[in-house]
């Protein structure tokens, strides 16, 4: 890795100077950043991410962080001997599982990230979508074609939700007051149950409601990859839909790309999927001229 010592002082100054128009572009704007559970696995990278978030806040950008935690939930469920399955990329969440999901997402994962941001000098506030009645959701309904009978069947995902209303009262008390919201993807159903929401979907709903300037989805791959595993730097909504239909985009990448499409429809201007395992991916994406991952556009 090239350290700052290997770069001449003039080049260091040029890199900093290159950031100026980007900082001006995002001045006072809200940027939603989704940090995936896989990406936050390595402590050093997670701490570098936290530093980047504080740097954004320091440059008069309003970052809102949404985190995942799929692998962390899986580890805890395994430790407790609870089986877990996915259907249509979503965790089937029964009554025992939702307790663990909430414990891991709103408890350990959320507080660890809050701790890292605060250690870097920020003022992070850890919340879930249940706080302040922020995110109301309806139980997710999905269908799947049964491979034996070839008949489309409804799948019961249990306590899994799709957001249908985001109340910004609480977030508006934090944004613009140097406080950095760090959100766990949980919501309340209309009859008061806790629902597990895919973190990408949750981030899209929050970015759309906030009319965020940008949405960054940090994952564990360089972006959307084509059939030969090469990075696709730019993807139109039309082509993204084709790649989902032909199976090039599958699994966890489906809710990510669908979130990007939803956010664009809601007026979010720049929507990207980037590699969160790369240190300072957020700074590179926002403050330099080179985009790193996949930009999804209309
Ligand atoms: N076309 C594709 N390009 C990139 N990744 C893909 C693609 N199709 C499926 N994937 C899978 O999607 C995964 C990212 O989704 P997910 O595991 O849910 O990440 P996260 O924890 O960051 O939300 C990748 O690791 C990869 O296995
Ligand atoms: C319904 C559903 O599948 N919820 C996810 C929530 C966490 C998540 O999305 O985490 P990543 O971003 O790390 O994948 C789950 O239970 O794993």
């Amino acid at each position: 890795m090239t350290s700052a010592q290997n770069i001449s002082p003039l080049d260091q100054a040029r890199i900093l100077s290159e950031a100026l128009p980007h900082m001006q572009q995002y001045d006072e704007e809200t940027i939603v950043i989704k940090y995936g559970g896989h990406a936050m696995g390595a402590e050093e990278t997670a701490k570098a991410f936290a530093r980047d978030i504080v740097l954004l806040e320091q440059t008069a950008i309003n970052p809102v962080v949404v985190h995942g935690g799929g692998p962390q939930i899986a580890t805890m469920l395994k430790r407790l001997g609870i089986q877990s399955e996915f259907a249509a990329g979503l965790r089937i969440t029964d009554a025992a599982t939702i307790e663990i999901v909430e414990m891991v997402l709103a408890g350990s994962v959320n507080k660890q990230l809050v701790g890292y941001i605060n250690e870097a000098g920020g003022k992070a506030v850890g919340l879930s979508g249940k706080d302040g009645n922020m995110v109301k959701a309806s139980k997710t309904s999905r269908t799947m074609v049964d491979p034996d009978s070839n008949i489309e069947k409804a799948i019961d995902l249990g306590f899994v939700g799709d957001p249908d209303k985001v109340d910004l009262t609480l977030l508006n008390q934090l944004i613009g007051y140097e406080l950095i919201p760090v959100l766990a993807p949980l919501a309340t159903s209309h009859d008061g149950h806790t629902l597990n929401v895919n973190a990408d979907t949750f981030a899209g709903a929050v970015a759309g409601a906030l009319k965020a300037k940008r949405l960054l989805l940090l994952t564990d791959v360089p972006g959307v990859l084509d059939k030969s595993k090469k990075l696709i730097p730019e993807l139109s909504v039309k082509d993204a839909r084709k790649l989902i239909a032909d199976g090039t985009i599958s699994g966890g990448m489906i809710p990510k790309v669908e979130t990007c499409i939803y956010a664009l429809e809601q007026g979010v201007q720049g929507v990207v999927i980037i590699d969160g395992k790369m240190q300072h991916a957020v700074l590179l994406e926002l403050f330099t001229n080179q985009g790193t991952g996949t930009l999804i556009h209309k």
Side-chain angles (χ1 to χ4, degrees):
M1 201 170 71
T2 315
S3 75
Q5 283 87 347
N6 295 337
I7 305 172
S8 75
L10 187 58
D11 282 342
Q12 283 188 43
R14 279 195 182 120
I15 292 165
L16 286 170
S17 176
E18 192 187 290
L20 178 64
H22 301 284
M23 287 175 180
Q24 286 169 328
Q25 183 196 354
Y26 299 129
D27 191 42
E28 305 289 342
E29 298 284 357
T30 297
I31 296 185
V32 175
I33 300 138
K34 187 263 173 167
Y35 198 32
H38 283 110
M40 78 179 80
E43 189 178 324
E44 210 186 321
T45 317
K47 286 189 170 176
F49 169 81
R51 245 182 109 77
D52 290 0
I53 296 299
V54 176
L55 201 148
L56 299 192
E57 177 64 39
Q58 212 64 50
T59 56
I61 292 171
N62 301 317
V64 173
V65 178
V66 173
H67 61 80
Q72 293 79 353
I73 296 168
T75 303
M76 184 56 79
L77 288 173
K78 202 169 162 208
R79 204 188 288 172
L80 298 172
I82 301 172
Q83 295 282 337
S84 192
E85 278 179 47
F86 281 76
L90 300 166
R91 186 186 306 279
I92 301 173
T93 307
D94 62 11
T97 306
I98 190 69
E99 273 192 49
I100 309 306
V101 167
E102 183 166 28
M103 183 177 99
V104 173
L105 291 180
S108 48
V109 172
N110 187 276
K111 297 309 163 202
Q112 187 180 56
L113 200 47
V114 164
Y116 288 160
I117 294 173
N118 292 347
E119 200 184 322
K123 292 178 189 146
V125 179
L127 301 166
S128 86
K130 287 169 67 178
D131 290 286
N133 247 343
M134 196 190 305
V135 182
K136 280 280 169 77
S138 299
K139 276 200 174 187
T140 300
S141 57
R142 291 276 192 282
T143 55
M144 254 177 123
V145 178
D146 180 61
D148 299 325
S149 61
N150 225 11
I151 295 170
E152 201 166 79
K153 284 186 175 165
I155 7 172
D156 182 9
L157 293 159
F159 294 101
V160 172
D162 279 321
D164 39 36
K165 187 172 173 286
V166 180
D167 182 324
L168 296 175
T169 313
L170 178 55
L171 283 181
N172 284 337
Q173 299 299 312
L174 308 174
I175 295 170
Y177 296 93
E178 290 180 29
L179 298 164
I180 302 170
V182 176
L183 308 178
L186 295 163
T188 314
S189 71
H190 297 278
D191 56 359
H193 287 106
T194 301
L195 296 179
N196 178 10
V197 181
N198 172 276
D200 299 310
T201 313
F202 188 98
V206 170
L210 284 168
K211 301 282 172 233
K213 178 96 171 175
R214 302 214 45 192
L215 171 66
L216 315 184
L217 300 178
L218 273 65
T219 184
D220 63 340
V221 283
V224 180
L225 307 177
D226 67 15
K227 278 231 182 309
S228 50
K229 305 282 171 216
K230 257 188 63 204
L231 175 70
I232 305 171
E234 278 191 38
L235 192 56
S236 68
V237 168
K238 199 166 142 231
D239 288 341
R241 289 208 169 106
K242 270 191 211 154
L243 295 184
I244 293 177
D246 76 10
T248 307
I249 292 173
S250 63
M253 195 48 74
I254 298 176
K256 249 176 253 308
V257 172
E258 282 174 347
T259 293
C260 294
I261 296 173
Y262 173 81
L264 286 169
E265 284 167 355
Q266 294 299 304
V268 179
Q269 287 169 26
V271 180
V272 289
I273 298 173
I274 56 177
D275 190 352
K277 291 199 303 191
M278 187 168 78
Q279 282 204 12
H280 302 299
V282 171
L283 292 191
L284 280 174
E285 176 59 36
L286 293 176
F287 293 154
T288 70
N289 297 333
Q290 74 232 28
T292 55
T294 302
L295 176 80
I296 315 247
H297 58 82
K298 280 186 178 169

